[in-house]
Amino acid sequence: MTDAPPAADASLTEHLRHWARHRPQQRAFSHVQFPDLASAGLHRTLGWRALDTRARAVADRLRTLAAPGDRAALVMPQGLDYAAAFLGCLYARVIAVPLFGPQLPGHEGRLTAVLADCEPACLLADAATAPSVAAFVQDHGLPVVPVVPVDELPFRQVAFDETALPASADPDDIAYLQYTSGSTRAPAGVMISHANIVANARQAIDALIADPATTTTVGWLPLFHDMGLVLSVAAPVVGGFPSVLMDPVAFLESPVRWLRLLGSYQGTVSAAPNFAYDYCVARTDAAALDELRLDRVRVLINGSEPVRPGTIDRFHTAFAATGLDPAAHCPAYGLAEATVFVTADGHATVPTTVRCDADALAEGRVEPQAGDLSHADTTPLVSCGAPVGQELEIVGPGGEVLPPDRVGEIRLRGPNIGRGYWKHADQPFCDPEGRLRTGDLGALHEGRLLVTGRLKDVIIVDGRNHYPQDIEETVQSAVALVRRDRLAAFGVPRPDGTGEELVVIAEHRRDAEPTADEAHDADRTARAAVSARHGLRLGTLRLVPPGSVPRTSSGKVARAASRARHLDGGFGPR
């Protein structure tokens, strides 16, 4: 038998079937559980044949409950069954809806809204969570549909008789609905086709993986998140390399677990948001550092908005002794509407930071400056690399394509662009030229993308644009009481109606209970820092208890929700 790769136009399930036929016993997907804090991790592994068998078992059950084009919502914990359930949906030509179970705290409203919107024909859970899923549906007035415990399905080895397989899905058929995290609006389901997910997986492999034969992905990002799904499921299936999964809670309990796994395999590729790298620095002690082998890490994607240069520096300083290659850190940009990956800085490039003149940036121009990155008149922006297998243009307010070093909306065109929003044909997705409207602002500098912020989040004061993440960084760097990356800056109408004033809602540290005097000092320090750095008058700094600032299911600060809560008096009297 040949081990040639699948055809270029093969679907995700055709890739899975190929590896199951040609590499049946080779390690495919592993899940590492941590029963307690002292555990080194319990590994459970499936080969390609076993993964394919489980996916087909899910498909067999789905065909008795749903027709092609119906939806099946995945409301189960992270693990091998989740991956098999997703692939089984694709086999059955049922639209998968990657979600989370009701056990995820703080997101009951979002889960209810998404289930009501996608109208699933069934819910895929496991034996342990099926009762709570059924109770959640009843308690929230949702239509009662079958709940399928995937881990109790009968698995049987299936002979590779191609004539017995159901017809493959059309490449343009919808494979799954990727619900957006809702950082700026109510969650909306992006329709991702079978062709989209394979195209984006190939783009990720081309950009990040030099040799699939010596690569293993290690991921704790939720599989209901676009990055987690593509990097930990789609890319390994397309590339035929192993994927190692762990639960997000296991990472939060002890981030050194993730770091150990990164060093356990050759050529590891992983991804995490910006806060996770700072979290690793804060929670990893000297004894743990001595046992880590991060010289085996090939790529660490940082796809946050924004990628902070200070975070990159702190992480590499903390873990330099473990052999971590500075070029492993890979700033990237992506969004659900483009499946996920758009740009990346490559697997052999040390991250670069462009220090921009702050006044010019506020007026929409990138003017690089030399010297110290901390200079008060500059704004550092980390390069997120070049487009990967797609076209990227920076567009002005009138739809005109802007030249390099001009800030405008990032718009995209490529085979990975989704088919629109589920049930929302009225919501604009692409412009008249067929380019995806990302809603993100940025500029191309020397052919690489600099992301400046979200169009809807821009704060306009006295006719000048200010980016909330820059203000948030200034406040958290100046005020010791503030928790890192647990604050939201936004503008609200001034009482006299003459424009906007700046408000910052910030969680205080868990080990602090600020007195009135401490809160006053924090306010004074923040005002001075914001004034010096941004030339802005801070209207309000409100310190709130930990957990108060709204966040999306993927961990991003929900600024629009924070603003709405502030205006409604949810943080206390204005």
Side-chain angles (χ1 to χ4, degrees):
M1 291 186 296
T2 178
D3 196 22
D9 59 351
S11 68
L12 203 61
T13 50
E14 287 169 339
H15 280 85
L16 175 60
R17 196 155 63 242
H18 174 91
W19 303 125
R21 183 187 302 112
H22 295 294
R23 304 177 183 177
Q25 304 303 322
Q26 190 175 94
R27 179 169 57 91
F29 280 40
S30 301
H31 181 232
V32 186
Q33 292 179 299
F34 297 89
D36 54 59
L37 289 175
S39 173
L42 303 177
H43 291 64
R44 181 175 165 228
T45 297
L46 295 176
W48 287 111
R49 174 70 65 85
L51 178 62
D52 182 67
T53 297
R54 288 173 178 266
R56 293 201 203 189
V58 174
D60 287 345
R61 183 72 174 106
L62 284 173
R63 291 188 191 101
T64 70
L65 300 172
D70 286 346
R71 277 75 58 209
L74 283 68
V75 285
M76 63 177 69
Q78 186 116 324
L80 300 178
D81 291 323
Y82 201 111
F86 176 77
L87 294 166
C89 290
L90 273 55
Y91 257 133
R93 299 168 63 193
V94 169
I95 299 173
V97 186
L99 289 171
F100 44 87
Q103 69 274 9
L104 184 67
H107 295 283
E108 295 87 350
R110 181 173 185 267
L111 181 59
T112 302
V114 172
L115 290 175
D117 186 65
C118 73
E119 299 179 285
C122 62
L123 304 172
L124 303 181
D126 63 10
T129 59
S132 64
V133 168
F136 181 89
V137 167
Q138 288 194 326
D139 292 346
H140 290 78
L142 295 165
V144 177
V145 296
V147 179
V148 180
V150 170
D151 55 336
E152 293 186 344
L153 293 175
F155 302 122
R156 58 188 177 87
Q157 293 295 327
V158 182
F160 281 97
D161 180 3
E162 297 292 339
T163 62
L165 290 170
S168 295
D170 186 279
D172 290 332
D173 285 349
I174 302 169
Y176 64 101
L177 301 180
Q178 180 65 65
Y179 275 84
T180 61
S181 57
S183 60
T184 59
R185 60 166 183 256
V190 180
M191 298 183 288
I192 302 297
S193 73
H194 289 265
N196 290 153
I197 189 170
V198 173
N200 203 229
R202 287 194 181 282
Q203 290 164 343
I205 292 169
D206 290 345
L208 305 170
I209 296 174
D211 181 12
T214 59
T215 293
T216 297
T217 61
V218 174
W220 59 266
L221 290 178
L223 295 182
F224 60 80
H225 185 271
D226 48 11
M227 178 76 81
L229 186 64
V230 171
L231 188 66
S232 289
V233 177
V237 170
V238 169
F241 48 81
S243 173
V244 178
L245 304 169
M246 63 180 285
D247 194 275
V249 173
F251 168 79
L252 294 173
E253 287 177 343
S254 177
V256 75
R257 293 166 168 169
W258 176 54
L259 298 173
R260 289 193 188 107
L261 286 177
L262 289 176
S264 298
Y265 305 91
Q266 190 65 39
T268 47
V269 175
S270 193
N274 197 84
F275 87 86
Y277 295 102
D278 277 326
Y279 190 61
C280 287
V281 173
R283 293 289 302 274
T284 304
D285 57 28
L289 279 174
D290 291 339
E291 65 179 272
L292 294 177
R293 283 196 57 192
L294 299 187
D295 57 307
R296 310 179 84 182
V297 177
R298 183 173 295 150
V299 175
L300 290 176
I301 301 165
N302 186 333
S304 297
E305 301 169 10
V307 178
R308 300 191 188 278
T311 296
I312 296 173
D313 293 343
R314 285 189 292 271
F315 188 81
H316 283 289
T317 298
F319 296 104
T322 68
L324 180 65
D325 183 354
H329 207 109
C330 178
Y333 165 74
L335 68 165
E337 288 82 353
T339 307
V340 64
F341 284 100
V342 175
T343 69
D345 218 13
H347 51 76
T349 305
V350 175
T352 58
T353 299
V354 180
R355 190 166 64 85
C356 305
D357 181 273
D359 290 335
L361 193 62
E363 296 172 359
R365 304 188 312 278
V366 171
E367 295 184 359
Q369 304 293 305
D372 182 9
L373 288 176
S374 64
H375 195 281
D377 294 332
T378 62
T379 299
L381 296 177
V382 176
S383 168
C384 290
V388 181
Q390 52 202 291
E391 299 174 32
L392 184 153
E393 293 178 329
I394 305 299
V395 176
E400 72 281 8
V401 177
L402 298 177
D405 293 328
R406 290 288 304 278
V407 176
E409 184 181 8
I410 303 166
R411 297 195 187 179
L412 306 168
R413 188 186 290 111
N416 55 305
I417 304 303
R419 298 179 57 81
Y421 296 114
W422 177 255
K423 289 185 178 178
H424 293 284
D426 57 319
Q427 290 189 18
F429 201 76
C430 291
D431 63 16
E433 285 71 39
R435 300 170 300 196
L436 172 68
R437 305 173 186 263
T438 67
D440 292 320
L441 295 173
L444 285 172
H445 175 71
E446 297 180 350
R448 297 178 177 274
L449 181 65
L450 303 177
V451 180
T452 60
R454 288 285 296 169
L455 186 61
K456 292 182 178 180
D457 285 342
V458 171
I459 302 166
I460 303 175
V461 179
D462 297 330
R464 290 166 57 86
N465 292 346
H466 300 273
Y467 299 102
Q469 68 270 15
D470 297 335
I471 296 167
E472 291 158 5
E473 175 65 19
T474 296
V475 171
Q476 68 185 8
S477 297
V479 182
L481 282 172
V482 171
R483 293 183 72 198
R484 288 201 66 85
D485 299 319
R486 296 295 191 274
L487 67 169
F490 48 83
V492 299
R494 288 173 177 159
D496 59 6
T498 59
E500 286 196 326
E501 70 175 8
L502 176 62
V503 173
V504 175
I505 306 295
E507 295 180 11
H508 61 70
R509 296 197 322 270
R510 291 190 180 277
D511 60 352
E513 286 293 340
T515 64
D517 287 343
E518 289 171 333
H520 176 75
D521 289 343
D523 181 83
R524 184 174 57 188
T525 300
R527 287 175 186 271
V530 169
S531 176
R533 181 83 179 177
H534 305 282
L536 276 174
R537 180 184 179 276
L538 175 59
T540 301
L541 170 67
R542 185 179 294 276
L543 294 176
V544 297
S548 300
V549 174
R551 301 180 72 78
T552 70
S553 59
S554 59
K556 297 177 184 176
V557 170
R559 296 189 184 95
S562 298
R563 182 178 186 274
R565 183 177 297 182
H566 171 74
L567 293 174
D568 290 342
F571 294 115
R574 293 175 57 190

